Amino acid sequence: MSKLTLTFDNGPLPGATEGILDVLKERRLPATFFVVGKNLTDPQARRLIERARDEGHRVGNHTMNHGKPLGEYDDAQESVNEIADAEALIGELADPDRLFRPQGRGKTGPHLLSRAALRHLIDNRYTMVTWNNVPGDWLEPQTAWFDKALETLATQDWSVIVLHDHCQVKMMNLLDAFLDHVEKTGIEVRKDFPASCLPIVRGELMVDSSEIATGA
Protein backbone atom coordinates (compact mmCIF):
# COMPACT_ATOMS: atom_id res chain seq x y z
CA MET A 1 0.00 0.00 0.00
CA SER A 2 1.31 3.45 -0.93
CA LYS A 3 1.70 6.04 1.79
CA LEU A 4 1.26 9.82 1.95
CA THR A 5 2.33 12.38 4.52
CA LEU A 6 0.53 15.71 4.22
CA THR A 7 2.50 18.86 5.01
CA PHE A 8 1.46 22.50 4.79
CA ASP A 9 4.07 25.27 4.76
CA ASN A 10 4.26 29.03 5.34
CA GLY A 11 1.31 29.45 7.72
CA PRO A 12 -0.48 29.99 9.91
CA LEU A 13 -2.60 32.44 7.93
CA PRO A 14 -6.06 33.49 9.12
CA GLY A 15 -8.54 33.02 6.31
CA ALA A 16 -6.61 30.07 4.93
CA THR A 17 -5.34 27.70 7.63
CA GLU A 18 -8.74 27.21 9.25
CA GLY A 19 -10.17 25.94 5.96
CA ILE A 20 -7.45 23.33 5.73
CA LEU A 21 -8.05 22.31 9.33
CA ASP A 22 -11.78 21.97 8.63
CA VAL A 23 -11.12 19.65 5.68
CA LEU A 24 -8.68 17.53 7.68
CA LYS A 25 -11.02 17.34 10.68
CA GLU A 26 -13.95 16.22 8.55
CA ARG A 27 -11.84 13.47 7.00
CA ARG A 28 -9.97 12.62 10.23
CA LEU A 29 -6.62 12.96 8.52
CA PRO A 30 -3.32 14.03 10.13
CA ALA A 31 -0.90 16.60 8.75
CA THR A 32 2.18 18.55 9.73
CA PHE A 33 2.13 22.34 9.66
CA PHE A 34 5.57 23.90 9.13
CA VAL A 35 5.04 27.43 10.39
CA VAL A 36 6.87 30.67 9.70
CA GLY A 37 7.79 32.22 13.04
CA LYS A 38 6.85 35.81 12.25
CA ASN A 39 3.27 34.72 11.52
CA LEU A 40 2.87 33.58 15.11
CA THR A 41 3.15 37.16 16.38
CA ASP A 42 -0.49 37.53 15.28
CA PRO A 43 -2.64 36.14 18.13
CA GLN A 44 -5.32 34.96 15.69
CA ALA A 45 -2.75 33.05 13.68
CA ARG A 46 -1.27 31.49 16.81
CA ARG A 47 -4.71 30.27 17.85
CA LEU A 48 -4.94 28.41 14.53
CA ILE A 49 -1.77 26.49 15.30
CA GLU A 50 -2.98 25.83 18.83
CA ARG A 51 -6.07 24.34 17.19
CA ALA A 52 -3.89 22.29 14.84
CA ARG A 53 -1.92 20.89 17.77
CA ASP A 54 -5.11 20.20 19.75
CA GLU A 55 -6.63 18.33 16.80
CA GLY A 56 -3.66 15.98 16.60
CA HIS A 57 -1.53 17.60 13.91
CA ARG A 58 2.22 18.05 14.20
CA VAL A 59 3.80 21.50 14.27
CA GLY A 60 7.24 22.21 12.84
CA ASN A 61 9.61 25.14 12.35
CA HIS A 62 9.94 26.66 8.85
CA THR A 63 12.30 29.53 9.82
CA MET A 64 11.47 32.93 11.20
CA ASN A 65 11.05 34.90 7.98
CA HIS A 66 11.05 32.38 5.12
CA GLY A 67 13.72 34.30 3.27
CA LYS A 68 16.48 32.80 1.16
CA PRO A 69 17.81 29.31 1.92
CA LEU A 70 20.02 29.27 5.00
CA GLY A 71 23.02 28.08 3.01
CA GLU A 72 22.97 31.37 1.09
CA TYR A 73 23.35 33.59 4.16
CA ASP A 74 26.61 35.55 4.43
CA ASP A 75 26.11 35.92 8.19
CA ALA A 76 26.25 32.47 9.79
CA GLN A 77 24.66 33.68 13.03
CA GLU A 78 21.75 35.16 11.11
CA SER A 79 21.07 31.74 9.61
CA VAL A 80 21.01 30.24 13.10
CA ASN A 81 18.69 32.97 14.33
CA GLU A 82 16.21 32.07 11.60
CA ILE A 83 15.78 28.71 13.32
CA ALA A 84 16.12 29.74 16.97
CA ASP A 85 13.84 32.79 16.81
CA ALA A 86 11.07 30.80 15.16
CA GLU A 87 11.41 28.00 17.70
CA ALA A 88 11.13 30.47 20.56
CA LEU A 89 7.80 31.68 19.18
CA ILE A 90 6.53 28.16 18.54
CA GLY A 91 7.32 27.30 22.14
CA GLU A 92 5.17 24.61 23.71
CA LEU A 93 3.35 24.03 20.41
CA ALA A 94 6.46 22.34 18.99
CA ASP A 95 6.39 18.64 18.16
CA PRO A 96 8.42 16.52 20.61
CA ASP A 97 10.80 15.68 17.75
CA ARG A 98 11.53 19.41 17.18
CA LEU A 99 10.70 19.25 13.49
CA PHE A 100 12.46 21.70 11.18
CA ARG A 101 11.92 22.20 7.47
CA PRO A 102 14.35 24.47 5.60
CA GLN A 103 13.41 26.82 2.82
CA GLY A 104 14.79 25.27 -0.36
CA ARG A 105 12.80 26.76 -3.25
CA GLY A 106 11.37 23.29 -3.81
CA LYS A 107 14.76 21.59 -4.22
CA THR A 108 17.09 19.79 -1.86
CA GLY A 109 20.85 20.28 -1.79
CA PRO A 110 23.68 22.02 0.08
CA HIS A 111 21.90 25.38 -0.23
CA LEU A 112 19.46 24.26 2.48
CA LEU A 113 21.71 25.00 5.46
CA SER A 114 24.80 26.91 6.48
CA ARG A 115 27.34 24.93 8.47
CA ALA A 116 26.38 26.98 11.53
CA ALA A 117 22.70 26.15 11.05
CA LEU A 118 23.57 22.47 10.66
CA ARG A 119 25.52 22.52 13.94
CA HIS A 120 22.61 24.26 15.65
CA LEU A 121 20.16 21.59 14.48
CA ILE A 122 22.44 18.79 15.63
CA ASP A 123 23.32 20.37 18.97
CA ASN A 124 19.66 21.03 19.77
CA ARG A 125 18.47 17.61 18.62
CA TYR A 126 16.19 18.71 15.81
CA THR A 127 14.68 16.40 13.21
CA MET A 128 14.99 17.92 9.75
CA VAL A 129 12.23 17.10 7.29
CA THR A 130 12.52 17.50 3.51
CA TRP A 131 10.09 16.41 0.78
CA ASN A 132 9.69 14.35 -2.38
CA ASN A 133 6.42 15.65 -3.87
CA VAL A 134 6.38 19.39 -4.60
CA PRO A 135 3.58 19.97 -7.12
CA GLY A 136 3.98 23.77 -7.11
CA ASP A 137 0.64 24.99 -5.82
CA TRP A 138 2.05 28.53 -5.89
CA LEU A 139 2.66 28.45 -9.66
CA GLU A 140 0.22 29.67 -12.30
CA PRO A 141 -2.16 28.23 -13.17
CA GLN A 142 -2.48 27.27 -9.53
CA THR A 143 -4.82 24.41 -10.38
CA ALA A 144 -2.00 22.58 -12.20
CA TRP A 145 -0.62 21.25 -8.91
CA PHE A 146 -3.44 18.71 -8.71
CA ASP A 147 -2.35 16.61 -11.70
CA LYS A 148 1.34 16.97 -10.84
CA ALA A 149 0.71 15.73 -7.31
CA LEU A 150 -1.19 12.69 -8.57
CA GLU A 151 1.50 11.87 -11.13
CA THR A 152 4.17 11.88 -8.43
CA LEU A 153 2.01 9.89 -6.02
CA ALA A 154 1.74 7.16 -8.64
CA THR A 155 5.53 6.78 -8.88
CA GLN A 156 6.42 6.60 -5.16
CA ASP A 157 5.83 4.19 -2.33
CA TRP A 158 5.72 7.07 0.17
CA SER A 159 5.12 10.71 -0.76
CA VAL A 160 5.79 13.67 1.50
CA ILE A 161 3.79 16.37 -0.25
CA VAL A 162 4.40 20.10 0.19
CA LEU A 163 1.33 22.32 -0.05
CA HIS A 164 0.98 25.88 1.19
CA ASP A 165 -1.67 27.39 3.44
CA HIS A 166 -2.14 30.55 1.41
CA CYS A 167 -2.40 28.68 -1.91
CA GLN A 168 -5.24 26.50 -0.71
CA VAL A 169 -7.64 29.25 0.35
CA LYS A 170 -9.24 29.55 -3.10
CA MET A 171 -8.84 25.89 -3.98
CA MET A 172 -10.47 23.92 -1.18
CA ASN A 173 -12.39 22.00 -3.82
CA LEU A 174 -9.07 20.80 -5.25
CA LEU A 175 -7.80 19.76 -1.83
CA ASP A 176 -11.02 17.81 -1.33
CA ALA A 177 -10.70 16.25 -4.78
CA PHE A 178 -7.07 15.33 -4.10
CA LEU A 179 -8.01 13.69 -0.81
CA ASP A 180 -10.92 11.92 -2.50
CA HIS A 181 -8.39 10.37 -4.89
CA VAL A 182 -6.14 9.38 -1.99
CA GLU A 183 -9.05 7.64 -0.26
CA LYS A 184 -10.39 5.93 -3.37
CA THR A 185 -6.99 4.54 -4.35
CA GLY A 186 -6.32 3.21 -0.86
CA ILE A 187 -3.30 5.38 -0.10
CA GLU A 188 -2.51 5.40 3.61
CA VAL A 189 -2.16 8.88 5.15
CA ARG A 190 0.56 8.91 7.82
CA LYS A 191 1.82 11.32 10.47
CA ASP A 192 5.43 10.17 10.21
CA PHE A 193 8.01 10.52 7.44
CA PRO A 194 10.10 8.14 5.32
CA ALA A 195 13.76 7.90 6.23
CA SER A 196 14.68 9.33 2.81
CA CYS A 197 13.15 12.67 3.88
CA LEU A 198 14.91 12.82 7.26
CA PRO A 199 18.54 13.91 6.83
CA ILE A 200 18.73 14.66 10.58
CA VAL A 201 16.87 12.63 13.21
CA ARG A 202 16.83 13.96 16.80
CA GLY A 203 20.21 15.54 16.27
CA GLU A 204 21.80 12.59 14.48
CA LEU A 205 23.08 13.28 10.98
CA MET A 206 21.81 10.58 8.62
CA VAL A 207 23.49 11.78 5.40
CA ASP A 208 26.83 13.27 4.40
CA SER A 209 26.75 16.88 5.60
CA SER A 210 27.78 18.10 2.13
CA GLU A 211 24.37 17.02 0.82
CA ILE A 212 22.50 19.57 2.94
CA ALA A 213 24.96 22.26 4.08
CA THR A 214 27.53 24.65 2.69
CA GLY A 215 29.54 27.71 3.68
CA ALA A 216 30.30 28.85 7.20
Side-chain angles (χ1 to χ4, degrees):
M1 177 186 294
S2 295
K3 304 179 186 72
L4 169 67
T5 301
L6 295 165
T7 70
F8 294 90
D9 287 7
N10 296 14
L13 295 172
T17 305
E18 58 264 51
I20 296 169
L21 289 170
D22 289 344
V23 169
L24 296 174
K25 183 176 182 179
E26 181 179 355
R27 293 173 176 270
R28 298 182 181 179
L29 294 177
T32 301
F33 289 83
F34 287 100
V35 302
V36 174
K38 65 180 181 181
N39 293 344
L40 294 175
T41 61
D42 175 356
Q44 185 180 357
R46 184 174 183 85
R47 284 193 292 271
L48 288 171
I49 290 305
E50 290 172 350
R51 175 187 165 186
R53 186 273 315 271
D54 293 345
E55 292 182 356
H57 304 296
R58 305 179 80 178
V59 178
N61 180 333
H62 194 35
T63 74
M64 185 65 185
N65 295 293
H66 197 264
K68 60 189 177 182
L70 299 185
E72 296 178 5
Y73 276 70
D74 294 327
D75 185 330
Q77 185 58 47
E78 188 178 357
S79 72
V80 171
N81 292 345
E82 279 290 311
I83 303 169
D85 291 352
E87 196 70 19
L89 284 168
I90 294 168
E92 49 88 22
L93 298 175
D95 187 88
D97 282 337
R98 303 196 78 179
L99 304 177
F100 172 74
R101 168 169 282 169
Q103 147 70 324
R105 301 192 185 101
K107 298 179 180 180
T108 58
H111 66 297
L112 294 179
L113 299 174
S114 66
R115 292 285 172 180
L118 174 63
R119 287 192 296 272
H120 180 80
L121 293 175
I122 292 171
D123 291 346
N124 290 279
R125 297 184 58 79
Y126 281 86
T127 293
M128 178 171 154
V129 182
T130 58
W131 51 80
N132 58 17
N133 190 337
V134 186
D137 58 346
W138 69 94
L139 299 172
E140 296 292 344
Q142 286 184 288
T143 55
W145 74 266
F146 180 83
D147 289 333
K148 292 178 181 178
L150 296 186
E151 289 169 6
T152 305
L153 270 180
T155 66
Q156 297 179 153
D157 292 332
W158 192 339
S159 279
V160 177
I161 192 169
V162 178
L163 299 172
H164 297 82
D165 292 34
H166 69 286
C167 296
Q168 295 302 311
V169 65
K170 295 181 180 179
M171 297 187 296
M172 285 300 163
N173 60 327
L174 279 187
L175 181 58
D176 269 322
F178 175 71
L179 296 175
D180 280 343
H181 173 87
V182 168
E183 181 179 356
K184 289 175 182 176
T185 52
I187 296 171
E188 180 187 5
V189 178
R190 302 280 296 257
K191 288 183 72 170
D192 54 341
F193 305 95
S196 59
C197 291
L198 298 175
I200 303 172
V201 177
R202 300 184 188 94
E204 183 178 354
L205 188 62
M206 311 302 289
V207 299
D208 190 291
S209 63
S210 65
E211 295 182 24
I212 56 172
T214 189

